[in-house]
Amino acid sequence: MGLRFGFRKTLFKMGKWRFGIGYSMHGATGIVMLCIYGLMNLMWYMLLGCCWLTYGVIWLCFVLPIKGIIKLCKNRKQSPNTFKQENT
């Protein structure tokens, strides 16, 4: 029994067709390929995590303050003038 990458059995059950070559690896080759596959997955998810962190930093440092300033300006324009001068 070897380490098999792919969905050959599932695809065979669903439609009686096969995707890829279905190469089976045994022993040290299988372990090395599993490590390479794990490293590729790790790199992919680290890239996604870096993108999310970049998005969060941009949102917190640029978008959120701009929205706060806009909201503050709108509230000041709508509030009545409390410092009215009366003629006595």
Side-chain angles (χ1 to χ4, degrees), residues 1-34:
M1 184 167 151
L3 181 63
R4 187 175 291 272
F5 294 105
F7 302 100
R8 180 188 176 281
K9 290 182 181 178
T10 306
L11 291 173
F12 188 74
K13 287 177 188 177
M14 288 179 359
K16 302 282 184 194
W17 56 282
R18 188 172 161 191
F19 179 75
I21 57 172
Y23 181 70
S24 180
M25 289 172 271
H26 303 279
T29 307
I31 293 171
V32 170
M33 289 306 293
L34 187 62

Side-chain angles (χ1 to χ4, degrees), residues 58-77:
I58 289 172
W59 193 81
L60 283 174
C61 292
F62 297 108
V63 177
L64 192 61
I66 290 171
K67 284 185 176 184
I69 291 169
I70 291 171
K71 186 177 179 181
L72 185 66
C73 290
K74 284 183 180 180
N75 286 342
R76 287 204 178 185
K77 286 181 182 177

Side-chain angles (χ1 to χ4, degrees), residues 47-65 67:
L47 179 69
L48 287 178
C50 289
C51 290
W52 273 108
L53 284 173
T54 305
Y55 169 75
V57 167
I58 289 172
W59 193 81
L60 283 174
C61 292
F62 297 108
V63 177
L64 192 61
K67 284 185 176 184

